Amino acid sequence: GEDVEQSLFLSVREGDSSVINCTYTDSSSTYLYWYKQEPGAGLQLLTYIFSNMDMKQDQRLTVLLNKKDKHLSLRIADTQTGDSAIYFCAEKYSSASKIIFGSGTRLSIRP
Amino acid sequence: NAGVMQNPRHLVRRRGQEARLRCSPMKGHSHVYWYRQLPEEGLKFMVYLQKENIIDESGMPKERFSAEFPKEGPSILRIQQVVRGDSAAYFCASSSVEQGNYEQYFGPGTRLTVT
């Protein structure tokens, strides 16, 4: 089946690392994504990882994939106030046209 | 290098009216996708189009909703006889042939309110 689960809220202190977690059910997923949505805005593609990779790093962002447990995480190092947003985990398998989204994790930053 | 463009950004319609939402893909992109986001939820796929063809409409409601992507001009998502439950944000995404359809870039969305 198709399902992507994520926790709804995360609060971190400015300067700390944020870790947003996600689980998916479709073992045939080929691409796994993290999108960022700021209030009233569209979705910004932050990063994606192919299912044959374990890790991908891009500046402050680190994506970890545990394919056995169908678990994906996004770590944001040195979290800043500009990182406040909703973060969507998503999956897609290669033969499909659609991307399947989780419900999003709202990240808030404490001073 | 303009991104995906959608208009209008906000649309208010009374129950029973028609809503037309437009999407211009990124330059060089020939694949268009429409998604709907209900309040406090993630995006749900509706339809995938290439120029003059509907490729996958598995997420489209069976009635009142239609989509097109003509040879010239933007893609249009049309909702006839809107109801309150149609109130949502509608996002368009586009991709190029070279990218396949795994790199989809999203527009800013049209927020439809049905009163």
Side-chain angles (χ1 to χ4, degrees):
Chain A
E2 308 169 341
D3 206 5
V4 178
E5 301 275 346
Q6 9 177 176
S7 53
L8 292 180
F9 301 99
L10 178 66
S11 176
V12 299
R13 198 182 304 275
E14 189 174 0
D16 286 353
S17 291
S18 306
V19 180
I20 304 172
N21 293 301
C22 165
T23 56
Y24 60 97
T25 55
D26 195 330
S27 57
S28 57
S29 290
T30 309
Y31 309 99
L32 295 135
Y33 306 85
W34 286 104
Y35 281 86
K36 177 183 180 184
Q37 185 180 36
E38 295 180 82
L43 272 72
Q44 175 193 352
L45 177 60
L46 281 180
T47 186
Y48 63 89
I49 190 168
F50 295 110
S51 59
N52 60 359
M53 299 167 64
D54 297 323
M55 186 182 98
K56 182 177 180 181
Q57 187 155 3
D58 183 1
Q59 300 182 333
R60 291 191 298 125
L61 305 179
T62 303
V63 177
L64 294 177
L65 174 60
N66 181 330
K67 202 171 176 188
K68 176 174 167 285
D69 294 337
K70 295 178 195 160
H71 182 266
L72 184 74
S73 67
L74 174 69
R75 179 176 178 269
I76 306 172
D78 187 25
T79 310
Q80 302 298 309
T81 53
D83 295 324
S84 290
I86 300 175
Y87 290 80
F88 290 96
C89 173
E91 64 172 346
K92 181 185 173 312
Y93 45 93
S94 58
S95 60
S97 46
K98 62 183 177 181
I99 294 177
I100 299 158
F101 288 84
S103 298
T105 298
R106 188 178 298 272
L107 176 64
S108 62
I109 315 301
R110 311 190 295 274
Chain B
N1 185 17
V4 178
M5 299 181 68
Q6 291 187 248
N7 67 81
R9 294 293 305 275
H10 299 272
L11 182 61
V12 179
R13 284 287 177 266
R14 284 197 293 271
R15 276 181 299 168
Q17 290 185 318
E18 179 179 287
R20 277 182 180 245
L21 288 62
R22 287 176 216 72
C23 168
S24 296
M26 283 178 71
K27 189 176 179 181
H29 285 190
S30 57
H31 300 218
V32 165
Y33 314 80
W34 286 94
Y35 291 81
R36 176 165 63 176
Q37 183 180 32
L38 295 171
E40 307 299 321
E41 292 188 13
L43 279 70
K44 296 285 193 289
F45 170 81
M46 298 180 77
V47 62
Y48 163 41
L49 309 105
Q50 295 177 18
K51 287 281 186 183
E52 298 184 284
N53 282 306
I54 296 174
I55 307 302
D56 179 357
E57 55 182 348
S58 58
M60 284 282 267
K62 293 285 184 280
E63 296 175 348
R64 302 190 297 109
F65 284 72
S66 62
E68 61 177 8
F69 188 15
K71 190 176 177 183
E72 301 290 337
S75 175
I76 307 284
L77 179 68
R78 183 175 173 221
I79 312 172
Q80 295 178 288
Q81 298 175 315
V82 296
V83 300
R84 288 236 172 90
D86 296 333
S87 294
Y90 291 83
F91 290 95
C92 168
S94 72
S95 68
S96 70
V97 173
E98 288 73 30
Q99 293 163 341
N101 52 19
Y102 66 85
E103 271 194 40
Q104 298 181 16
Y105 294 90
F106 284 79
T110 294
R111 279 151 182 83
L112 172 66
T113 303
V114 179
T115 61

